Amino acid sequence: MAHEHDRTEAYKTEDRTGTTERAEAGRAEVSGMGEADRSVPGWCAFFTPDEYVRFAQEVDEAAGCFGADGQNIAAGHVTLAAGAPEPELHEFDLTELAGRCRASDIDEWPSLCFVAIDEFSTAQPQRDWLTLASFAEVEELLEPWLAAEPELMFEAEPDAADQPFSTPLEDGRYLHLLAAVPDFDDMPEITTFVPNSAVQAWGLSAEKLVRWASPHL
């Protein structure tokens, strides 16, 4: 089961009243900024007014892929739904992304913005962190999660490295592991599925993880 729909719904349900108006107003700001709106905020003062408008457009386009377009970026962040299995709303700081864009050719900005927002929304930094950490470091952050079928986050085989770890149990259900990854490097705490890559790095078999999870079920 993919999570694109879940992230979109999480953003929409934050405040259904007025969401459409905010989105329409945001798109109007991006496409037709007045002189006052073109003022470059201090957090990205290295942009010219035209570059700032272009950056805002690219962020809006990328956020729109996750149902989060129409936001004003003047404060230096956008709100995105991230995490699994229940996405939550978090502020995504745009400062680093703006710096990467300013240092790159403007033709690369669409890709840079999409990749950054996609990775945040899919909790890629958190999944990488789990892969680099040892099982002893993350054990207290883990909890078992059961489902009728393997949970899939991407269009790939269930045993692909980035897919959530899952293994069948005797009752026909599938065991997964959730991890509440603590905040690090300006990233908020986000709960996500433990990927196959992390389990492989820990060197633990599915049987050992089932034995570990049994007392917690």
Side-chain angles (χ1 to χ4, degrees):
M1 290 179 284
H3 287 277
E4 294 296 329
H5 176 72
D6 293 342
R7 283 196 296 274
T8 301
E9 286 304 304
Y11 176 76
K12 289 180 178 177
T13 55
E14 175 214 17
D15 178 11
R16 292 186 181 276
T17 304
T19 296
T20 301
E21 289 138 345
R22 287 199 304 275
E24 291 174 351
R27 279 189 286 272
E29 283 183 5
V30 169
S31 61
M33 287 183 173
E35 287 305 314
D37 296 322
R38 293 165 62 89
S39 298
V40 180
W43 58 270
C44 59
F46 41 74
F47 281 145
T48 66
D50 286 344
E51 288 172 339
Y52 174 62
V53 171
R54 177 63 181 269
F55 178 70
Q57 290 174 336
E58 300 302 346
V59 169
D60 192 64
E61 287 287 333
C65 296
F66 301 90
D69 53 334
Q71 299 185 60
N72 190 322
I73 71 166
H77 66 262
V78 290
T79 300
L80 300 171
E86 299 293 335
E88 296 182 349
L89 295 175
H90 300 277
E91 289 185 356
F92 173 58
D93 191 303
L94 295 169
T95 308
E96 182 179 343
L97 175 59
R100 290 204 302 271
C101 285
R102 185 63 182 85
S104 304
D105 188 273
I106 200 166
D107 292 337
E108 298 177 15
W109 290 16
S111 175
L112 289 171
C113 290
F114 177 80
V115 168
I117 289 176
D118 176 65
E119 289 184 348
F120 185 92
S121 297
T122 59
Q124 183 66 52
Q126 286 73 23
R127 291 183 289 114
D128 290 343
W129 184 90
L130 289 166
T131 301
L132 293 173
S134 67
F135 181 74
E137 291 175 300
V138 305
E139 183 175 4
E140 293 186 355
L141 308 175
L142 303 178
E143 66 172 294
W145 190 82
L146 300 177
E149 57 187 23
E151 191 74 11
L152 304 179
M153 292 184 67
F154 309 97
E155 293 182 0
E157 293 300 315
D159 60 354
D162 277 346
Q163 291 284 26
F165 164 79
S166 65
T167 189
L169 301 178
E170 291 181 356
D171 63 5
R173 294 182 295 176
Y174 286 79
L175 170 69
H176 305 70
L177 298 175
L178 296 178
V181 180
D183 58 299
F184 67 96
D185 293 344
D186 296 325
M187 297 291 293
E189 177 179 316
I190 293 178
T191 296
T192 189
F193 287 106
V194 171
N196 287 320
S197 59
V199 172
Q200 292 164 5
W202 298 341
L204 297 177
S205 66
E207 292 75 14
K208 287 184 177 179
L209 287 173
V210 170
R211 288 199 296 272
W212 174 87
S214 295
H216 306 282
L217 295 174

